[in-house]
Amino acid sequence: MRIGALKETFDGEARVAVTPSSAGHLQKLGHEVHVESGAGARAGFSDAAYEGAGVTVHPNAAALTEAVDVVVKVRPPTEEELGRMREGQTLISFFYPGQNAELLERARDLGVNAIAMDMVPRISRAQKMDALSSMANIAGYRAVIEAANNFGRFFTGQVTAAGKVPPAKVLVVGAGVAGLAAIGAATSLGAQVYAFDVRPEVAEQIESMGAEFVFLDFTDQVQDGAATGGYAAPSSPEFLAKQLEKFRELAPDMDIVVTTALIPGRPAPKLWTEDMVRMMKPGSVIVDLAAERGGNCDLTVPDAKIVTENGVTIIGYTDFPSRMGAQSSELYGNNIRHMLADLTPAKDGTLVHNMEDDVIRGATVTREHDITWPPPPPKVQAIAAQKPKPKVKDPTPEERRAAEALAFRRQTRSQVGMLVTGGVLMLLVGLFAPASFLQHFIVFVLSVFIGFQVIWNVSHSLHTPLMAITNAISSIVILGALLQIGSGSALIVILGALAVLMTAVNIFGGFLVTRRMLAMFQKS
């Protein structure tokens, strides 16, 4: 098949659906790759770079569309772009079928097979094709960079000769993909980060990234993130009121607020009201990632940056991924090539549009003059994250001492029982075995006991190097084997030779493993 990437016509869009590196992967699937001239220029990919990767460059969109079987792009197609396509061609792009009913009808009438990258089901197998998550990850990171660019102070706290600088306080509302990316970027810059999400199960993820989870005193909250394809379920009015009350409490202390609460196809919930903005300190920054759907902040202006009367900067850009065109294109190009890999199971350049496949079926919105959106629920449902287990109360010093005493008594009883049992067994052996055997056997048992006690008290992290070196040292048994090789018995010679072989492996292997492990901790 011939795959062609169009140049994006949306104003300010810098992304491209195929990069020179992703083109190489598509070629390995047996496809020919084509691009429109200048398609990757704004992302930093020249026509020469594409040609160097074996990609055919066409002078304009019409020539490209005529030459290829599959058209790939980033933004939903315009009427003009869709009108150039012929019956039977495949289109892969963001489509947003719930918001573009007329475009959906047009694709059906033309007989175009449209695959919407925004409709890829959120199941484990489809994560590599989840373009929404790829772009949200970049948006969350870029939101913090934009906030830092507009914030007049350090993110990290510093103690200098000129005075002490406190760390910036950052609140991230919503801990989805974009929110977690924002948390990671803010903590890495040294900020004191707080995060909120209506799904209590994400608290552990937030805390593991170095942020503090904002809890609400709301016992009636019941949320199930998996019920809406991995997004948070809409909150009840009572819960929303409690949430706004908490945000009003936090607003005067926060320097930067990043809001990410948005479910595709729905208006953005209003979580940061005008009175909260007025409570914030001059110089504070709000970055609203939900601006495209109305914004989480009352004062957000889509595609604009404003400064309020009290000096708060509100950023409502809707093109955060496009502001990092090169990185966004690489990630989106990977999403596209993984989708085409699923559509090309034999890697022979032949497209197989298998509507029995959950991922392909879920992403397909039109096929063979039929609208296939909305899709049926996938056979494999996303697994909801488990509710966090209640934290166990730390024991008091008295309880800890009592537990340690009980454990010591149990260990003592166990050891006494083992000694008594061992003594009885030794007595039975002494009644029948010769005296020389009994002497050697007692030494053996004592050495095993002492060795066990020594190794038992060694830290777990040192067990592997300890065993490696003891294997080498304990292979002194090779001396006994060498002494027996000179025996006149053929059987003893064979057994001695085998003992020499095995202990030699023990010696060299033990020291080799120890050396390699020690090398792991040496600075290069």
Side-chain angles (χ1 to χ4, degrees):
M1 285 285 182
R2 291 161 296 180
I3 314 295
L6 286 173
K7 179 180 179 180
E8 298 298 321
T9 57
F10 190 85
D11 187 31
E13 180 58 70
R15 292 172 291 179
V16 62
V18 173
T19 65
S21 60
S22 68
H25 292 286
L26 294 176
Q27 289 161 354
K28 291 178 183 178
L29 295 172
H31 299 298
E32 294 180 18
V33 185
H34 303 248
V35 296
E36 181 184 351
S37 179
R42 282 176 288 185
F45 306 116
S46 64
D47 289 349
Y50 282 107
E51 290 172 346
V55 177
T56 303
V57 179
H58 293 267
N60 52 56
L64 177 107
T65 307
E66 180 66 28
V68 301
D69 305 296
V70 180
V71 175
V72 294
K73 62 189 312 294
V74 181
R75 293 273 183 170
T78 63
E79 284 283 349
E80 183 180 1
E81 289 171 336
L82 197 57
R84 295 194 196 103
M85 298 187 67
R86 61 183 182 274
E87 183 176 357
Q89 274 187 310
T90 299
L91 169 69
I92 304 177
S93 72
F94 283 108
F95 205 98
Y96 306 112
Q99 306 164 40
N100 292 309
E102 293 182 2
L103 204 61
L104 200 62
E105 295 281 351
R106 179 69 171 150
R108 180 195 62 180
D109 294 342
L110 291 171
V112 171
N113 302 322
I115 296 177
M117 293 301 292
D118 51 287
M119 291 302 299
V120 171
R122 287 198 155 180
I123 58 178
S124 297
R125 185 171 65 84
Q127 288 180 355
K128 59 189 177 183
M129 301 169 240
D130 190 352
L132 285 175
S133 293
S134 297
M135 299 301 103
N137 181 30
I138 293 174
Y141 174 84
R142 182 69 188 197
V144 173
I145 301 303
E146 291 289 343
N149 186 48
N150 287 274
F151 186 55
R153 294 194 288 108
F154 292 135
F155 262 49
T156 184
Q158 293 189 12
V159 178
T160 70
K164 182 179 178 181
V165 179
K169 292 185 177 181
V170 177
L171 173 64
V172 178
V173 180
V177 176
L180 292 175
I183 292 168
T187 53
S188 65
L189 289 173
Q192 186 176 348
V193 184
Y194 302 83
F196 173 83
D197 196 280
V198 298
R199 300 164 293 180
E201 63 266 20
V202 304
E204 291 183 1
Q205 299 178 44
I206 290 169
E207 291 169 354
S208 70
M209 298 183 72
E212 181 180 333
F213 184 71
V214 177
F215 286 95
L216 291 187
D217 184 15
F218 191 80
T219 56
D220 296 332
Q221 176 190 5
V222 178
Q223 300 290 340
D224 184 0
T228 51
Y231 295 98
S235 303
S236 65
E238 295 79 12
F239 178 77
L240 184 58
K242 198 72 177 180
Q243 181 178 339
L244 295 179
E245 180 184 334
K246 186 66 176 180
F247 290 163
R248 287 189 180 92
E249 178 186 330
L250 294 172
D253 296 328
M254 292 300 119
D255 298 304
I256 293 166
V257 177
V258 179
T259 63
T260 70
L262 180 65
I263 298 175
R266 297 182 183 177
K270 297 297 181 183
L271 303 178
W272 206 260
T273 56
E274 185 176 352
D275 64 304
M276 296 179 196
V277 177
R278 289 197 298 267
M279 293 178 185
M280 296 180 73
K281 296 171 287 190
S284 301
V285 180
I286 299 172
V287 183
D288 194 340
L289 292 181
E292 194 167 3
R293 298 294 296 169
N296 296 135
C297 177
D298 281 343
L299 302 181
T300 297
V301 178
D303 295 310
K305 178 179 72 174
I306 64 170
V307 179
T308 64
E309 293 181 359
N310 62 322
V312 177
T313 301
I314 303 176
I315 299 173
Y317 300 149
T318 61
D319 61 345
F320 284 105
S322 186
R323 289 171 180 262
M324 300 183 70
Q327 184 65 76
S328 299
S329 298
E330 290 286 7
L331 292 181
Y332 185 71
N334 284 335
N335 295 142
I336 290 286
R337 63 109 165 170
H338 283 305
M339 174 62 76
L340 285 165
D342 268 27
L343 288 165
T344 318
K347 298 183 180 180
D348 58 354
T350 302
L351 228 61
V352 180
H353 205 122
N354 181 14
M355 295 294 277
E356 296 299 318
D357 184 293
D358 278 341
V359 178
I360 296 173
R361 174 64 187 88
T364 302
V365 294
T366 62
R367 176 163 169 77
E368 296 177 350
H369 293 282
D370 186 25
I371 293 177
T372 58
W373 179 85
K379 302 182 186 73
V380 181
Q381 294 286 350
I383 300 175
Q386 295 183 355
K387 304 292 183 184
K389 295 181 180 179
K391 293 184 177 179
V392 180
K393 184 180 178 182
D394 292 334
T396 62
E398 293 78 9
E399 292 173 339
R400 190 180 297 108
R401 283 194 292 269
E404 291 173 353
L406 178 61
F408 177 76
R409 288 196 296 271
R410 288 177 177 173
Q411 183 180 6
T412 302
R413 285 197 297 267
S414 174
Q415 290 177 346
V416 170
M418 291 174 62
L419 287 174
V420 171
T421 304
V424 172
L425 290 175
M426 292 294 294
L427 180 62
L428 293 174
V429 171
L431 293 176
F432 301 99
S436 60
F437 172 82
L438 193 60
Q439 291 176 356
H440 293 305
F441 187 68
I442 291 174
V443 173
F444 172 74
V445 171
L446 290 176
S447 64
V448 169
F449 178 76
I450 293 171
F452 175 79
Q453 291 297 323
V454 170
I455 295 176
W456 183 263
N457 293 317
V458 173
S459 172
H460 291 290
S461 60
L462 297 176
H463 275 182
T464 301
L466 176 68
M467 292 305 295
I469 195 66
T470 52
N471 280 348
I473 296 173
S474 65
S475 294
I476 196 172
V477 72
I478 196 173
L479 295 177
L482 289 172
L483 291 174
Q484 296 300 321
I485 285 181
S487 173
S489 171
L491 179 60
I492 294 177
V493 171
I494 293 172
L495 292 176
L498 290 174
V500 170
L501 174 63
M502 288 185 288
T503 50
V505 172
N506 230 8
I507 292 172
F508 292 110
F511 281 115
L512 181 62
V513 170
T514 304
R515 182 178 178 276
R516 293 186 64 179
M517 292 196 64
L518 291 175
M520 294 170 59
F521 300 96
Q522 293 176 350
K523 293 183 178 180
S524 57

